[in-house]
Amino acid sequence: MSQRYHFIPLYHLTVLASFPGNAYNQNKLVVNSHYDSRKEEKLILARVNQKEKRKRKQKQSKTLQRSRGQKTIPMKVINIRDFERKNHSAIREFVLLGLTQSPEIQRILFWLFTLSYVAALMGNFLLIFIICASKKLHTPMYFLLANLSLVNALSITTTIPKLLLTLFSHRNTITFYGCIIQVYFFILFLVTELMLLTSMAFDRFVAICYPLQYTLIMRKELCAAIAVGAWVLGLTNSAVHSGLLLQLSFCESNIINHFFCDVPPVLKLSCSDTSFNETMAFVADVVFAVFSCGLTLTSYGFIIRAIFRIRSTEGKKKAFSTCSSHLIVVSFYFSAVIYTYIRPTSVYSLNRVKYISLLYSVVTPVINPIIYSLRNREVKEVLKDFIGRGRMFLRH
């Protein structure tokens, strides 16, 4: 019996021992053995399937991790962009629209501004040379006038060369830091000129209202302190505004509706909160423009009252001629500056203001040496002497 059923597993020996001679039982044992082997195969297949499911789950988890890792890349890019916005700007250059887009008008403006720039440089540096070379003009008024001429030559150099390049080559782009540098120097020369014009009005007030005490009041030390103070105030104010502009972010439009970089049009392009910049700009405008204009008008109020007290007509003409040229320049300059800057940026009309800014950025540096030379008797006399000496030198 052991020889006949030797292939049966050991766990069926008990059943065979209980029913040794039954053929039905023998066949049943064989069927059970096949059933158990199939059951084992099913268990093995189930284990294999479980392993395969585990592998699939592991692969799915890895792919999910990879996909999550890929999704985090845009978040990193956004963070980098936010970092750039917080630091300086996502924009690396600005586009200056200029005064017009017509090629024919641009050619005319190019030659017009070229002549204006050359005339401004020649007139202001000639006036500085005459004041420095002639001992007759070594007075407080002409010392302040020499500083004003220097400021005019530098201020027009800040804006006009870039404008000429734009008109000639039609390349109207400027780098981000180039724009900030232009803002810095333009504000520097703007505030310095305001302070010098106010100090010149004070000089005329002392000369007409207190002529006997003029040399005591307007000493060399005071004139030097006034000039240095004007330059220091200009440097400080421009450093504050330029530093505040560097803290802003420019991530949307880069088109400046102006022919040079100025604070109001640049603030309009920022995607940051510019309320603090606008507040500081308004405070600076009130202090330097309105306060300076108030002091100047007050000085000329006292001057006019003193002129009307003079009995002789010749005395009135002489007193008025010494301050009329300065009054013309002040009326041009302060009216344009106050109209441009003493307003919030929300109501700031760039199309109108960029043409008005030509008065204090281009016209004033050109007419200053003309007014102070043609309407000043002492300057004309010194200029005639230099012309006569030049002719004598050429003859010999």
Side-chain angles (χ1 to χ4, degrees), residues 299-335:
S299 299
Y300 277 104
F302 286 111
I303 289 171
I304 292 171
R305 188 182 68 175
I307 289 173
F308 281 117
R309 288 180 180 178
I310 299 174
R311 295 180 180 179
S312 63
T313 306
E314 294 181 358
K316 289 181 180 180
K317 289 182 179 179
K318 184 178 180 180
F320 188 74
S321 64
T322 58
C323 60
S324 59
S325 58
H326 182 259
L327 184 60
I328 292 172
V329 174
V330 165
S331 62
F332 265 107
Y333 200 79
F334 278 99
S335 59

Side-chain angles (χ1 to χ4, degrees), residues 77-93:
V77 173
I78 293 171
N79 290 331
I80 290 170
R81 289 178 181 174
D82 292 337
F83 180 76
E84 288 180 355
R85 290 177 184 177
K86 289 179 180 179
N87 275 274
H88 294 296
S89 174
I91 295 174
R92 293 304 174 189
E93 65 179 11

Side-chain angles (χ1 to χ4, degrees), residues 88-97 162 171-180 250-256 261 266 269:
H88 294 296
S89 174
I91 295 174
R92 293 304 174 189
E93 65 179 11
F94 294 106
V95 177
L96 298 171
L97 288 184
K162 180 61 181 176
R171 294 178 60 185
N172 54 353
T173 59
I174 184 171
T175 62
F176 174 78
Y177 291 104
C179 185
I180 299 299
F250 302 89
C251 50
E252 296 177 357
S253 176
N254 65 334
I255 299 175
I256 298 177
C261 290
V266 173
L269 300 182

Side-chain angles (χ1 to χ4, degrees), residues 158-159 162 174 178-187 260-261:
T158 304
T159 57
K162 180 61 181 176
I174 184 171
C179 185
I180 299 299
I181 291 171
Q182 193 175 42
V183 169
Y184 175 83
F185 283 107
F186 184 78
I187 296 175
F260 69 94
C261 290

